[in-house]
Amino acid sequence: MRRRGLHALLQLASVAVPPPLWARPFTASAPCAAAAAGGPRLFRKLLVANRGEIAVRVMRTAKRLGIPTVAVYSSADAAAVHARFADEAVCIGPPPSTASYLNAEAILEAVRKTGADAVHPGYGFLSENAAFAKAVEGAGAAWVGPPEFAVEKMGDKVESKKFAAAATVNTIPGWAGVTRDAEHALEVATDIGFPVMIKASAGGGGKGMRVAWDERQLREGYELATQEAASAFGDSRMLIEKFIEHPRHVEIQVLGDKHGNVVYFPERECSIQRRNQKVIEEAPSPLVTPEMRQAMGEQAVALCKAVGYHSAGTVEFLANPQRQFYFLEMNTRLQVEHPITEAITGQDLVEHMLRVAAGERLSITQDQLLHFSGWAMECRVYAEDPARGFLPSIGRLQHYQEPQGPGVRCDSGVQEGSEISMYYDPMISKLVTHGPDRAGALAGMRAALDRYVIRGVQHNAPLLRSVLDVPEFVAGNISTAFLKEHYPTPEASAPDSLPLTPGQEDQLLALTAMLWVGRQQRLAGGGTLQDEVQLVLTMGGHGGRQVPLTVRPADPRFLPSPSPSSGGGARAAAAGSGAGQGLEVQLPHRILYVRDAGGSTAQLVRAEVDGAPVSLQVLASGPRQLKLQHCGAHRLVQVDTPLSASLQRHMPPPQVEDYSKTIRSPMPGTLVSVHVRPGQRVSAGDEVAVVEAMKMRNVLRCELEGVVAGVEAAAGAVVGADQVIVRFK
Amino acid sequence: MLLHVGKALPGLTATLPVTWAAATRLATRWMSTADPMTQRHDMEDLPPYASNPKWERVQAAKAEALLGGGAQRVAKQHAKGKLTARERLQVLFDPRSFREAGGLVQHRCHDFGMEAQRYFGDGVVTGSGTVFGRPVFAFSQDFTVAGGSLSESHAAKICRLMDRAVAAGAPVVGLNDSGGARIQEGVMSLAGYAEVFQRNVDASGVIPQLSLVMGPCAGGAVYSPALTDFTFMVRHSSYMFLTGPEVVRGVTMEEVTQEQLGGAATHTTKSGVAHGAFDNELDALSGMRELLSFLPLSNRGALPRTPCSDPAGRMCPFLDYVVPSNELEAYDMLAVVQQVVDEGHVFEIMRDYAQNIITGFARLDGRTVGVVANQPAVLAGCLDIDASVKAARFVRFCDAFNIPLLTFVDVPGFLPGTAQEYGGIIRHGAKLLYAYAEATVPKLTVITRKGYGGAYDVMSSKHLRGDINLSWPTGQIAVMGSKGAVEILFRGHPDIKAAEADYEEKFNNPFQAAKVGYIDDVILPRLTRQRLCAELETLAGKEVWRPQRKHGNMPL
């Protein structure tokens, strides 16, 4: 009776005061306002011509709208989530994407075979292929995307700028054509004002590019860039344009229908990039003011109208700290980072795309979109090794646990056991958090990354987590050069060398002590800790700083109560699900109260430090060490008794093998051939060996000259990552 | 009163002699931080006598024993990255739990001036204490005292310790660091070795015996570790050989260093004499503690069960995909084992030797199991001489101490070739067969892929009284692989491809074996842990009676 009354009360409460948008669990398929209206199905059957997370994400919305879905998959993806998630799945060819996901003929055959009457292309693959769009419509299915004309025009860099200029969109000041010579370049530069960028017309990858801040630099740079371009591309034609200092990448999501209506959404900032690839995005941008938003939005809409755009698209701008912005390009598809826009506006962009494709009018007004809610952030989690220059890391996910909870959305196309193959983009997921403000979204993201368990491949979650603690990032003071400036080398991006603040280090030490004591108690038959235990922790193993600490059972009277922001219910709930004993950890200069909050696994420890929830990951454990991940940073912590710690000084340093004079396999694979013999003299750049991994041949070359001492693996052998193949004298 | 002081002052419980001055210092420090209400103890902390020559003499002797071979030799020992015999024991045992016995023993030799060189303890520290709260006996040779050389009384101390351990039913850990026999004692020293050997054999299968070689171990001395259950070494500071490099040079003209001849790398990868190696002594001692935590105290003792934080019902979806669709492709069986066992933790035995088979201790729902698993990533998981011997010894240890056996099978057969046949693979392979057939502990088997030929029979098959034999859907149980079989069965067949397909249809799956009950069930790989935990629970009370005999005749 009583319970029922309470339940009713709770129901009433939830009706009376709906929680703010950011506090609601949100998924890819949060219905938009019009969805509730029911009505006939938009399409009989939707085929998603893509794979991985985006295929799953599109299908989620389709399922919610009651549209049966068709997946296409390559033979490498037979067990992939997207192929199992759909109502029907069609194999469209062998693993290489040219033979499968880019194989328009095979996909069209799948459309015909399954009777799909709509095709959503996702992003990448055939999403911006006008010919494919046309063929889909030719096959009698609706193309869930923009019109061919817009795709064609916006796909061409020169053409799109012309359209933009004509639609009075700000473009980067510069010479629209090719400069004749250095004199002409100088003339153009003086006209648009220094600094300028000298850019090879055929350019790419930073080759044939120079920044000039004055006349002298321009003359020198022009010369050098011309030579570079001539040798790199065999084309020495040069462009000159205004160089944007501290550029930030800000983009506007647009949405149009087939009736000439176009709206713009609040901007997204995507300045955190590596090699021109976005890794962290947020909406809105900390840079943008309402005036700037309106100006950008109106220009984006003008451009769309100029090309007759409909469906979802994105107009990308470069902005400088003075809030001047310049058109970069337009992407005529759904962007990877669309969920952050969905989070703050409560709209489902895929649903809108489907409705537009079905000929419906836009159901939202520009006004609605300017009243967005809170702040959202997205991290792209990739299977790659930051310590090896972001080389893709392939393998199976041995353990995989996505963060969940209010304000967290993880769009992925993988599960525990899924394979990250070398054939496709190694993105594991897009992790999105939504909070009442930027600090809230940021805190949510930190906590989400801390409890994101990924084992079996190298990945960038530690680096992403580390970025979230960089003061400049926290202040919103970012640019597209952020990662290069703060993590200049592969070593600096390696999880082992990511920094921890002294406070975070204290937490790590206290939690290590908690784990250690728990383990010792279990090995001694269980029960709780009765007496105090003295431990000495050494971070970084041999030669590291020794920190003595004392662990004792915490007096419950002195246990800190959890702060309201950390969710007071969490601890009460945890207490019923295996919460551990409260411990008082006396560090040299402070005391921390820790406890296992319950629900921990062998990989993820959910704990409380001074009442606040903290997640810690266990990467490896040995009889005397634990390798842990805390706030992204990986640390080896050695645990000793005071006695063994005092004896540590007699221990010889571990014999670390000197790899400077070796050639090692960069990844697991097969050694195809070895091109050197012992005793042979080699010089820098010489081909030493070839390793094949998943049909990709990697040529290993000498970095220095020297003499071969020995060859340690024979052609045909299976080699592991880091295995020594050749040793030099 | 003395006891009470020990209780009140952490650091004083050890009965090792502590001078009263030191005790007073400790007491003062403790007093200064203690609650004023406890000051009533200040009377109890007084020394028992103002002056007592009898007790002072004992104290002096104990203090001398503590010094070992003296500060200089201790410093030399430390400089080599080695700890003293007592330091090692303190690290091995739970803090303050070690109690020494025989600390005042001296040798009885009067030749070659030995009467002038007497040390309390005579080069070995013996005693007992606890490891994770459970009793353990240990002896620790003291290299700083006469090079840790083994005398009659040194050996007698070890023997007395072992007799006590067998009687009490608790493991013995030997920390070896000895220059060898005490030459001055002649046959008395040799007799001492043999007495120890006899006890090693008497204790074999009764209590676990662990050896940790932490320095030289040469000549006859090597046979004591060799007779124990497990031998571990410390990299770069320990070596074991029967005859040293100089003798080797003289006899066979081979130039070889101590490290090459008998270092940890040699014995863990080439000879198989050692079961594992550690980077330094502290790691090694922690490793011994960990190993002990898996083992019952004796063959009479119960299997330890630790509270488990890893749910028994945990799913392992990774396992659904781990076996590659291409039959020729390898995968890492260790990753499979790690998915299944508690917290992914395996204490590997002989990790670097015969890597085509994995042996090690792990836990399932808190219960110790001995894991044996073919490793398809090395030699395709074939059984060869080394792998057979490695696994056979491990299986016998587990059976002796009632540790259930968990076997993962992916074996294409025995390794062919003259090297194997001449080396006696028939005889050595029979050891593993014998060991499995003889074992009466709960035997759980999971076939992940291949179970071909005689090797299938050997690997804890139903026919060797496997209790629960499971297979994944990828299991293939047959006399041989399809290609070889079809070549024999269908020689000259017009459509060899169709014949091969037919054979695969019939044998490249677990059905044939399941139909006749040799496989109890075919399970989804993700359920492996859940199933094994439940089966183990059910089998915990397994008992098998065998006809009485003196002992079997294992094909050694």
Side-chain angles (χ1 to χ4, degrees), chain A residues 79 84 396-399 416-417 520 522-526 602 621 623-625 643-644 647-648 650-652 655, chain B residues 78 81 83 87 90-91 132 236 280-283 286-287 289-290 293 306-307 309 317-318 321 335 339 343 363:
Chain A
R84 292 180 283 135
R396 267 193 200 287
L397 299 173
Q398 295 191 350
H399 292 282
E416 189 163 304
Q520 304 287 303
R522 280 208 303 282
L523 288 179
S621 68
R624 220 176 135 220
Q625 292 97 3
L643 176 80
S644 62
L647 297 171
Q648 172 65 32
H650 301 306
M651 295 298 106
Q655 300 207 344
Chain B
H78 283 161
L83 300 174
E87 285 166 346
Q90 298 288 347
V91 175
F132 294 117
H236 310 294
N280 63 53
E281 296 198 352
L282 291 175
D283 283 358
S286 304
R289 286 175 60 84
E290 190 182 353
S293 78
T306 57
S309 62
F318 170 78
Y321 309 102
Q339 286 275 327
E343 292 174 9
R363 293 186 176 91

Side-chain angles (χ1 to χ4, degrees), chain A residues 235-493:
Chain A
D235 178 350
S236 60
R237 291 176 304 151
M238 287 288 142
L239 308 173
I240 299 278
E241 60 180 38
K242 177 100 179 157
F243 174 66
I244 315 288
E245 288 174 72
H246 304 294
R248 299 171 70 132
H249 180 116
V250 182
E251 62 184 31
I252 296 287
Q253 172 76 52
V254 290
L255 181 68
D257 63 18
K258 291 178 177 171
H259 309 278
N261 303 306
V262 182
V263 291
Y264 66 89
F265 286 70
E267 76 288 344
R268 299 186 285 251
E269 168 147 16
C270 319
S271 297
I272 308 296
Q273 306 181 348
R274 61 149 183 88
R275 289 203 206 132
N276 294 321
Q277 178 151 44
K278 303 162 187 171
V279 284
I280 301 179
E281 300 105 335
E282 57 186 304
S285 158
L287 176 77
V288 174
T289 57
E291 294 73 37
M292 183 178 172
R293 179 172 303 131
Q294 190 182 350
M296 290 174 94
E298 281 169 0
Q299 290 193 7
V301 168
L303 177 61
C304 289
K305 291 199 168 161
V307 290
Y309 202 85
H310 62 73
S311 192
T314 299
V315 181
E316 299 190 334
F317 295 95
L318 270 190
N320 66 14
Q322 290 75 43
R323 299 198 173 80
Q324 289 162 314
F325 60 90
Y326 306 97
F327 173 74
L328 201 58
E329 62 177 356
M330 179 167 187
N331 290 324
T332 52
R333 56 176 153 86
L334 187 67
Q335 296 274 97
V336 176
E337 61 273 22
H338 73 275
I340 52 176
T341 299
E342 295 184 330
I344 61 168
T345 59
Q347 301 296 321
D348 181 337
L349 284 166
V350 173
E351 178 179 344
H352 282 298
M353 287 177 84
L354 290 168
R355 290 187 181 280
V356 166
E360 288 189 13
R361 285 175 180 275
L362 284 188
S363 56
I364 39 169
T365 64
Q366 189 60 61
D367 244 21
Q368 270 175 286
L369 291 175
L370 289 177
H371 296 97
F372 54 89
S373 149
W375 208 286
M377 206 165 268
E378 175 181 282
C379 281
R380 299 193 192 182
V381 180
Y382 283 94
E384 62 186 17
D385 192 349
R388 291 170 197 248
F390 300 103
L391 204 70
S393 173
I394 55 175
R396 267 193 200 287
L397 299 173
Q398 295 191 350
H399 292 282
Y400 184 76
Q401 198 182 337
E402 290 177 357
Q404 294 173 331
V408 179
R409 165 174 167 184
C410 192
D411 277 16
S412 72
V414 292
Q415 285 176 318
E416 189 163 304
S418 289
E419 183 174 20
I420 307 292
S421 89
M422 59 82 55
Y423 294 109
Y424 315 110
D425 184 67
M427 190 163 82
I428 298 172
S429 75
K430 311 181 305 201
L431 180 60
V432 182
T433 59
H434 186 205
D437 51 22
R438 189 165 188 269
L442 194 54
M445 184 59 84
R446 286 192 186 113
L449 281 172
D450 281 343
R451 57 180 203 272
Y452 198 165
V453 176
I454 305 169
R455 301 285 187 278
V457 293
Q458 301 291 325
H459 56 91
N460 67 342
L463 179 65
L464 294 166
R465 175 64 184 81
S466 171
V467 168
L468 305 185
D469 281 340
V470 175
E472 280 82 359
F473 181 84
V474 176
N477 183 13
I478 51 180
S479 81
T480 53
F482 182 91
L483 282 183
K484 216 187 251 171
E485 283 167 9
H486 292 272
Y487 304 89
T489 60
E491 293 75 45
S493 329

Side-chain angles (χ1 to χ4, degrees), chain B residues 234-320:
Chain B
V234 180
R235 291 191 183 98
H236 310 294
S237 66
S238 67
Y239 51 88
M240 296 172 77
F241 38 68
L242 280 167
T243 48
E246 281 171 30
V247 179
V248 169
R249 194 185 309 126
V251 176
T252 69
M253 315 286 274
E254 285 172 291
E255 278 295 340
V256 68
T257 63
Q258 280 190 349
E259 183 67 25
Q260 288 167 341
L261 188 61
T266 303
H267 288 314
T268 51
T269 62
K270 287 198 176 79
S271 72
V273 164
H275 296 84
F278 298 90
D279 279 338
N280 63 53
E281 296 198 352
L282 291 175
D283 283 358
L285 292 162
S286 304
M288 292 305 98
R289 286 175 60 84
E290 190 182 353
L291 176 54
L292 284 167
S293 78
F294 284 100
L295 309 181
L297 295 178
S298 72
N299 66 340
R300 294 174 276 146
L303 199 62
R305 184 164 190 197
T306 57
C308 179
S309 62
D310 198 354
R314 175 171 54 82
M315 297 265 203
C316 315
F318 170 78
L319 298 181
D320 291 345

